[in-house]
Amino acid sequence: MTNPLLSTAALPDFAAIQPEHVRPAVQQLLAAAQAALDEAVKPETPADYDALSRILDTATEQLGTAWGAVGHLNAVADTPALREAYNAMLPAVTEFYTAMGANEALFAKYKAVLAAQGERLSAPRRQALKHAVRDFVLSGAELQGEARTRYAAIQERSAELQQQFSEHVMDATDGWHHIASAEDLAGVPQDVLDATRLDDGGHKLTLHFPVYLPVMQYAENRALRETLYRAYVTRASEAGKPEWDNTAAMREIVALRQEEARLLGYASFAEVSLAPNMASSPAEVTSFLRDLARRARPFAEKDLAELREFSRGQPLESWDVSYWSEKLKEARYAFSDQTVKQYFTAPKVVAGLFSIIERLFSVQITEAAAPVWHDTVRYFQLSRAGQPVAGFYLDLYARPGKRPGAWMDGVRSRWLKPTGEQQLPVAHLVCNFASPVGDKPALLTHDDVITLFHEFGHGLHHMLTQVNDLGVSGISGVEWDAVELPSQFMENFCWEWDVLQQLSGHVDSAEPLPRELFDKMIAAKNFQSGLQTLRQIEFSLFDMRLHGEPGAEADVQRVLDEVRAEVAVLVPPAFNRFQHSFSHIFAGGYAAGYYSYKWAELLSADAWSAFEEEGVFNAATGQRFLAEVLAQGGARDAIDNFKAFRGREPQIDALLRHQGMA
């Protein structure tokens, strides 16, 4: 029987991949990739772009696709056997990519290609080569002797620790529950009661967000809220099971990153992280964040004062904030998130999203057959003028064994292969929404709708590229602090009346969202935006200081406490261990990069203002955004993409206006 991980079919056979397939397939593909690398660096192999691509890209792309499929299943369909198989091969895969990235002979070959062919190559290929040469330096290609050996050991240990961190968060989330009575859950929405009900009439509460958040927002039982809050904010910390404690992993991950930076000649890992980004230095980032904090602070203080006044002297601890905030919003704007949720059924929202994409970017989206890893997962194809251009998997619902959060990941990138075959991009779009209960469709909060649009923005960036060169196709090669532009841009559609008419239909009556309720949502759009902005800045500044100040890892809590003292107006309790589950920076690629959400928000708000000026569904504006941003991928610097679309440098005015802080 053929190993499904060795298939060269357009789509991986996710339904057939088993843990026992991982080792033999990955070992075979690693051997083929190593043979290709050995061939590429031979003196007789010409310093020619096409020759190197034909030898090396073909083998490494197949390895990357297979390993990506294993990693994806590890994130969305985790089992003990699959986890063991993944972890068993992780060191070998890390070792190969580390060695290739630091290979002196290959580095020399790429520099020779750039010198000999640079001016004759297409702009995307020239950009890909420049990025490759830069990345060789950042991957230790200029290191010698013990430094080179140590660099490789750091990469292997870091990969192991980051996987461990992620597993601990998943296990701590899946491994906790609390049995509550119906009386304990007074105030909690009916759909949550239905989803958590046990046969004996009790309710099993978990730390998965579709359960956790509504309990924090609506449960009248303050002690219950505190129980869930304590469990949630101490996940994977010393407060839980010792085998899930991320304290040591955090320290070692950051210490290794700082050691890597020293080996490469940088003062801190933050400098390494920013080397390929739009932002030029940690100082520029911290200045940007502190300036934004200064602007947001008066609004945050006003938000908190209003909340204290409304709670009329009631205790206002961290487990009370969501509850009283929801009560204040209901009182001020005469609606609740739960009311709005009844109008957003998952099938209607997805259909509406697809309709908008089709209208704006001249594509068609149709469901297609493909092997999947869970029976709720669906596969879709994007076409233009009857010709396929991309595909994507949609995995919407939370379940045990699935990593928390929402994300987009690539299955394959657009690539014109050396054989002349056109490979089309395929994406994963993953969320963790509440599942359907009984014969009712799943209900989404408005925040869920925004999350779906956000991830689809990343998907569009990956799928609608017209660049055919690996390394700069889709989101590849895009500066990390600009990669959120399309995703945050898409969020804006969720606040447009015409759009919400397409997305909404009451779960019982199918009636679209009433204008009166929409107007209340708009009035409440920037509710507590000052507090929310400071919270994001708190995370971003903590991340930048932790990675920008060597030695900070010795006392991670101290750094976080200092950042909170500087920017927060609402300081969490001393037992809060948020950092122990901060997967973005410890396991998710955002190390010294979390600021990019705010940085890119400036770009996305300014980009959206063009649609505000010219019409949300203006075909010419949509096509310009497609041509100058989405289609370009990483083939052009992000600032040049922005200026080509907007006709000028970005400005902060639109961001402040959109957040009610002008």
Side-chain angles (χ1 to χ4, degrees), residues 161-178:
L161 286 166
Q162 289 175 62
Q163 172 65 8
Q164 184 185 104
F165 186 98
S166 184
E167 288 175 359
H168 289 172
V169 175
M170 183 190 290
D171 290 344
T173 303
D174 284 349
W176 186 94
H177 71 268
H178 175 79

Side-chain angles (χ1 to χ4, degrees), residues 233-301:
V233 302
T234 57
R235 284 176 302 160
S237 76
E238 72 278 9
K241 290 188 177 181
E243 63 267 31
W244 296 339
D245 185 1
N246 272 332
T247 303
M250 278 190 303
R251 289 177 185 153
E252 190 177 353
I253 286 168
V254 180
L256 289 171
R257 289 169 178 168
Q258 299 294 13
E259 186 182 355
E260 175 188 326
R262 289 194 298 275
L263 288 172
L264 294 174
Y266 288 88
S268 70
F269 184 79
E271 290 187 0
V272 177
S273 179
L274 294 179
N277 286 8
M278 288 179 71
S280 59
S281 68
E284 183 183 6
V285 172
T286 53
S287 175
F288 164 74
L289 292 171
R290 284 173 168 144
D291 177 59
L292 196 54
R294 178 184 58 79
R295 294 169 186 262
R297 190 174 187 87
F299 296 93
E301 289 171 340

